[in-house]
Amino acid sequence: DSESLAFLEQSSRKCEVVLQWVQRLIMDGQKGNLLDPLPIPFFQLANGMVIFNNAAELNDFPIPFPLAQIVMFLLMIHWVLTAVV
């Protein structure tokens, strides 16, 4: 509904909000006997959030500029040498 979308737009942690909504829908489905009461979906969602947070940490700690330049230089050398050999 429009209230939920407005709340999602204002939230700074959109992924966690959507995760909570999905978990609530799963619980509602289990209470109404629409879904089997298995914990597997919750484990998969939790693993997805762990992976998401690990990827977000990469953005928090940028690679130092000299290291990025060395990696780019070595990749270029590898690219040239691979074409020759």
Side-chain angles (χ1 to χ4, degrees):
D1 59 5
S2 61
E3 290 180 20
S4 298
L5 291 177
F7 178 76
L8 186 62
E9 277 295 320
Q10 295 173 357
S11 176
S12 63
R13 302 182 64 102
K14 291 176 178 51
C15 192
E16 284 83 1
V17 171
V18 172
L19 172 70
Q20 182 65 33
W21 289 348
V22 170
Q23 287 179 341
R24 179 174 246 173
L25 287 173
I26 292 171
M27 289 301 297
D28 289 344
Q30 288 179 350
K31 286 181 184 176
N33 293 328
L34 295 173
L35 298 171
D36 292 332
L38 296 174
I40 294 171
F42 296 107
F43 289 137
Q44 290 176 347
L45 289 170
N47 287 339
M49 284 304 297
V50 168
I51 292 170
F52 172 79
N53 287 328
N54 287 342
E57 284 181 14
L58 291 176
N59 197 21
D60 293 340
F61 300 105
I63 297 174
F65 182 74
L67 178 62
Q69 292 300 313
I70 289 172
V71 168
M72 185 61 73
F73 177 72
L74 291 174
L75 283 172
M76 294 293 274
I77 290 175
H78 181 268
W79 178 64
V80 170
L81 292 178
T82 303
V84 171
V85 175

